[in-house]
């Protein structure tokens, strides 16, 4: 099988499977031969047969042989599926994905190579010995490369856990450093604010001193002019009294002039007459409505 590129181990596995397939084929051929022998022993006991009898015997033999061949083909297909299941299961343990080319199963050249290998490798003299001593497929997950792979996976998993722990530690340290930086920035802003407040206080003190000096200057200037204001106030009071007196005289004069006018005299006469009429009416009312 060197043409197929197999290593020694895989070549042995192929040989084992071909031995298994040959043994199943031999058993099935024996079964078919027994069908013919049974027909000979049970039916071919007479010297002459009719056409219908021969046809009946051949139809029965055909049915039996057909059933045996069909059963063998189905069993072979199922056996191949189980073999592929073992191979795929082992490949998946190594995270491999196997692929098959169905077209090669009908390659005449490859089939002839397999037939030639079968002729040279299998001997009729030791068929039974090879059948009884054939080794089984290596169990899954036992020693060899599988054990090394499991160890490597365990080592990588442990290293991954350490890296995760280290990452969490670094994240915690980064968060602490970020908090410290935030606190430092806040303290710096507070310090800058205090310095700004001190500058504002110094500016306000200068402003207050300037206003105080201006107020003192204004106060000294106002004290000098206060006397003048008081004198002006006294003079204004005198002028006010004089104007009030003049207004009073003017009112008296106007009242006197108004009393001397004809309109005033006429109005006074009318009022006198009205008063007399009111008195007369009151007397009449007292006469008709005396008080109780």
């Amino acid at each position: 099988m060197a043409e197929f590129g197999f290593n020694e181990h895989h070549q042995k596995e192929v040989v084992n499977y071909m031995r298994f397939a040959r043994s199943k084929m031999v058993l099935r051929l024996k079964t078919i031969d027994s069908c013919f022998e049974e027909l000979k022993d049970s039916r071919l006991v007479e010297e002459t047969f009719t056409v219908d009898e021969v046809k009946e015997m051949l139809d029965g033999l055909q049915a039996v042989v057909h059933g045996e061949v069909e059963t063998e083909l189905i069993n072979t297909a199922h056996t191949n599926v189980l073999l592929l299941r073992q191979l795929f299961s082992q490949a998946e343990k190594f995270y491999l994905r196997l692929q098959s080319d169905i077209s090669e199963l009908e390659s005449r050249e490859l089939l002839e190579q397999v037939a030639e290998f079968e002729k040279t490798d299998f001997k009729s003299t030791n068929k039974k010995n090879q059948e009884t001593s054939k080794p089984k497929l290596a169990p899954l997950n036992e020693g060899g490369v599988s054990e090394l792979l499991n160890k490597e996976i365990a080592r990588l998993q442990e290293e991954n856990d350490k890296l995760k722990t280290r990452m969490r530690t670094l994240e915690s340290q980064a968060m602490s450093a970020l908090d410290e930086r935030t606190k430092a920035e806040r303290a710096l802003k507070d310090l800058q604010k205090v310095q700004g407040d001190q500058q504002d206080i110094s500016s306000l003190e200068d402003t207050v001193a300037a206003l105080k000096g201006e107020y003192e200057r204004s106060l000294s200037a106002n004290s000098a002019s206060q006397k003048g204001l008081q004198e002006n106030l006294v003079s204004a009071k005198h002028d006010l009294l004089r104007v009030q007196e003049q207004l009073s005289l003017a009112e008296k004069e106007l009242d006197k002039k108004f009393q001397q006018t004809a309109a005033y005299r006429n109005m006074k006469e009318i009022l006198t007459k009205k008063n007399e009429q009111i008195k007369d009416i009151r007397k009449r009312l007292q006469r008709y409505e005396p008080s109780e």
Side-chain angles (χ1 to χ4, degrees):
M1 295 290 286
E3 304 82 59
F4 295 99
F6 290 163
N7 57 28
E8 183 179 359
H9 174 76
H10 288 162
Q11 183 169 334
K12 290 180 181 180
E13 296 297 329
V14 172
V15 171
N16 291 334
Y17 178 73
M18 294 182 69
R19 289 171 180 169
F20 169 77
R22 175 177 280 269
S23 66
K24 300 294 290 185
M25 179 187 67
V26 170
L27 291 176
R28 190 57 59 186
L29 290 175
K30 288 182 179 181
T31 303
I32 294 175
D33 292 339
S34 66
C35 292
F36 283 89
E37 294 295 331
E38 182 181 359
L39 177 64
K40 292 177 182 180
D41 296 338
S42 62
R43 301 294 302 272
L44 300 179
V45 293
E46 299 179 3
E47 294 181 358
T48 60
F49 294 93
T50 63
V51 175
D52 293 335
E53 290 176 342
V54 173
K55 183 179 180 181
E56 180 185 357
M57 287 188 292
L58 292 177
D59 289 341
L61 180 61
Q62 180 186 4
V64 174
V65 173
H66 181 275
E68 291 293 334
V69 173
E70 182 181 11
T71 301
E72 178 60 20
L73 292 175
I74 293 175
N75 185 65
T76 300
H78 293 174
T79 302
N80 291 333
V81 171
L82 294 179
L83 177 61
L84 292 173
R85 177 178 177 272
Q86 294 183 24
L87 296 176
F88 291 158
S89 297
Q90 293 184 24
E92 289 178 358
K93 296 297 181 181
F94 295 94
Y95 303 96
L96 300 177
R97 293 184 178 180
L98 302 182
Q99 294 180 348
S100 60
D101 188 357
I102 303 299
S103 63
E104 289 188 357
L105 300 180
E106 297 181 351
S107 174
R108 177 58 57 184
E109 181 181 358
L110 294 177
L111 291 175
E112 291 177 356
Q113 291 179 6
V114 174
E116 183 66 24
F117 171 76
E118 186 177 11
K119 290 179 182 180
T120 57
D121 187 74
F122 289 93
K123 305 297 181 180
S124 60
T125 56
N126 58 1
K127 286 181 180 178
K128 294 183 180 180
N129 294 332
Q130 290 176 352
E131 180 67 23
T132 55
S133 63
K134 65 176 190 269
K136 297 182 179 180
L137 290 175
L140 301 179
N141 300 330
E142 287 190 6
V145 180
S146 178
E147 184 178 357
L148 293 176
L149 181 61
N150 290 331
K151 290 182 179 180
E152 181 66 15
I153 292 174
R155 186 187 66 80
L156 292 176
Q157 185 66 34
E158 183 179 0
E159 185 176 354
N160 188 29
D161 294 338
K162 291 180 179 179
L163 290 175
K164 288 181 179 180
T165 304
R166 179 61 177 170
M167 181 65 68
R168 287 193 292 268
T169 303
L170 292 176
E171 288 178 355
S172 178
Q173 293 177 355
M175 292 299 296
S176 300
L178 184 60
D179 292 339
E180 293 296 332
R181 178 181 176 182
T182 303
K183 291 180 181 178
E185 290 179 351
R186 189 180 297 112
L188 180 60
K189 290 181 179 179
D190 293 339
L191 180 60
Q192 292 175 351
K193 184 178 179 181
V194 170
Q195 292 177 351
D197 293 340
Q198 290 179 352
Q199 292 177 355
D200 294 338
I201 292 173
S202 177
S203 178
L204 289 174
E205 290 177 350
D206 295 337
T207 304
V208 169
L211 291 175
K212 185 176 180 181
E214 185 177 356
Y215 174 74
E216 291 177 351
R217 289 192 297 272
S218 299
L219 184 61
S220 60
N222 290 333
S223 60
S225 60
Q226 185 176 5
K227 293 181 180 180
L229 292 174
Q230 290 179 352
E231 293 177 356
N232 293 332
L233 180 60
V234 172
S235 176
K237 287 182 178 180
H238 289 303
D239 293 338
L240 178 60
L241 292 174
R242 186 168 56 255
V243 171
Q244 289 177 349
E245 184 178 359
Q246 292 177 357
L247 288 174
S248 178
L249 293 175
E251 287 178 356
K252 291 179 179 180
E253 186 67 25
L254 288 174
D255 188 23
K256 184 177 180 181
K257 290 181 178 180
F258 178 72
Q259 290 178 1
Q260 291 177 358
T261 59
Y264 176 78
R265 288 194 298 269
N266 292 333
M267 186 179 295
K268 187 175 182 180
E269 290 178 358
I270 291 171
L271 289 174
T272 301
K273 290 179 180 181
K274 292 293 182 180
N275 289 331
E276 290 178 355
Q277 289 177 358
I278 290 171
K279 288 179 181 180
D280 185 46
I281 291 170
R282 286 179 178 175
K283 288 179 181 180
R284 292 179 183 179
L285 288 174
Q286 288 178 359
R287 186 182 305 165
Y288 293 103
E289 296 179 359
S291 60
E292 295 179 357

